[in-house]
């Protein structure tokens, strides 16, 4: 069965420090992986995705994520955190290919950037 | 600007009432989705539609109903059969049904039972 895990409910980082939000997944075939961000009382915004190609994917707002097939991970990273990065972050996965597969969502990680 | 509009932003439902949440998109996207979000949980799929006049149940469809009579519109009705409807509801769309290009989300409707 497909699944995605975000092992940390909350991550605290000082402004200017690098940040990592973790995501691991389980799918039968090749994974399609996504990161979204949600600000309070708002919908989700697309940050980046991995479908195929380079393992390091660059996205919006200076975020990037690294696909690691052997560790089945897709951690979100940013070299220098901003207070405005504070939000709820969701990882999602679906099985690749042309089948009718829906996204499976992680429970979310609350990122708090302290000035 | 193109986007997804959800209305109302806040909705209060009395016990035994049906209520309808609106979702409209002007992105010309084929697929539309309804998700429910509860605190500490990921998004759970209620219904989705990949084409006009067709829709499929998601993981938690019981107590909900939808229609897709127009490409732009995908309203969700929360019926009295839904015993715990208090939640944040999110509508999303994607260019095509597989969502390979990502989803665009609306701003959500917060439904509260009073």
């Amino acid at each position: 069965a497909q699944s995605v895990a975000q092992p940390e409910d909350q991550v605290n980082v000082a402004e200017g420090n690098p940040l990592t939000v973790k995501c691991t997944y389980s799918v039968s075939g090749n994974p399609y992986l996504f990161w979204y961000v949600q600000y309070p009382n708002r919908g989700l915004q697309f940050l980046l995705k991995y479908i195929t190609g380079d393992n390091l994917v660059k996205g919006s707002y200076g975020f990037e994520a690294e696909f690691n097939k052997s560790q089945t991970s897709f951690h979100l990273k940013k070299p220098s955190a901003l207070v405005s990065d504070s939000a709820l972050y969701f990882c999602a996965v679906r099985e690749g290919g042309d089948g009718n597969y829906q996204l499976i969502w992680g429970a979310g990680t609350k990122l708090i950037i302290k000035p | 600007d193109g986007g997804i509009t959800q209305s109302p932003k806040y909705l209060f439902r009395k016990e035994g009432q049906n209520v309808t949440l609106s979702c409209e998109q002007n992105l010309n996207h084929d697929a539309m989705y309804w998700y429910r979000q509860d605190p500490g949980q990921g998004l759970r799929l209620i219904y989705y539609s990949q084409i006009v006049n067709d829709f499929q149940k998601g993981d938690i469809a019981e107590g909900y109903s939808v229609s897709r009579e127009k490409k732009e519109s995908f309203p969700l009705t929360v019926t009295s059969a839904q015993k715990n409807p208090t939640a944040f509801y999110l509508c999303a769309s994607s260019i095509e049904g597989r969502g390979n290009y990502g989803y665009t989300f609306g701003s959500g409707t917060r439904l509260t039972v009073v």
Side-chain angles (χ1 to χ4, degrees):
Chain A
Q2 299 178 88
S3 67
V4 59
Q6 295 181 242
E8 301 155 316
D9 292 336
Q10 184 169 309
V11 171
N12 298 303
V13 177
E15 187 177 26
N17 283 1
L19 69 88
T20 298
V21 182
K22 295 180 180 178
C23 173
T24 59
Y25 66 89
S26 174
V27 296
S28 301
N30 292 324
Y32 289 7
L33 295 151
F34 303 82
W35 275 103
Y36 287 80
V37 60
Q38 184 181 32
Y39 298 98
N41 294 312
R42 302 289 296 175
L44 279 67
Q45 296 177 33
F46 172 77
L47 275 180
L48 50 80
K49 66 178 180 181
Y50 173 83
I51 302 294
T52 187
D54 288 341
N55 290 342
L56 185 64
V57 178
K58 294 189 183 296
S60 306
Y61 311 119
F63 283 94
E64 59 188 28
E66 185 167 13
F67 171 60
N68 188 316
K69 188 171 183 177
S70 63
Q71 298 186 4
T72 62
S73 67
F74 190 57
H75 301 334
L76 182 70
K77 299 181 180 184
K78 188 173 182 181
S80 179
L82 300 172
V83 172
S84 57
D85 293 330
S86 298
L88 189 57
Y89 290 81
F90 289 95
C91 181
V93 65
R94 59 156 286 220
E95 189 169 340
D98 294 335
N100 186 19
Y101 305 118
Q102 295 303 314
L103 283 179
I104 304 298
W105 295 84
T109 298
K110 186 175 184 179
L111 177 64
I112 298 177
I113 309 299
K114 298 182 178 180
Chain B
D1 289 334
I4 295 184
T5 301
Q6 288 187 243
S7 61
K9 191 173 179 67
Y10 299 96
L11 186 57
F12 298 90
R13 191 193 93 166
K14 294 181 181 179
E15 296 281 352
Q17 258 186 349
N18 291 354
V19 291
T20 297
L21 283 59
S22 171
C23 179
E24 303 277 334
Q25 55 103 353
N26 60 4
L27 299 165
N28 200 33
H29 284 178
D30 284 331
M32 297 186 75
Y33 311 81
W34 274 107
Y35 285 95
R36 172 177 171 144
Q37 185 178 19
D38 295 283
Q41 298 191 38
L43 278 65
R44 292 186 289 167
L45 183 63
I46 305 172
Y47 270 98
Y48 65 99
S49 168
Q50 294 179 312
I51 196 168
V52 175
N53 292 322
D54 186 51
F55 49 83
Q56 308 294 329
K57 292 182 179 180
D59 300 320
I60 56 166
E62 186 175 352
Y64 300 97
S65 65
V66 294
S67 63
R68 186 89 187 276
E69 297 176 0
K70 299 186 299 181
K71 189 175 186 178
E72 304 79 28
S73 178
F74 191 42
L76 173 74
T77 296
V78 184
T79 74
S80 57
Q82 172 49 240
K83 297 307 178 187
N84 184 22
T86 294
F88 191 52
Y89 291 86
L90 287 163
C91 180
S93 69
S94 62
I95 292 175
E96 39 72 47
R98 292 188 297 275
N100 291 346
Y101 299 95
Y103 289 8
T104 300
F105 281 83
S107 295
T109 293
R110 188 166 297 281
L111 175 62
T112 304
V113 174
V114 296

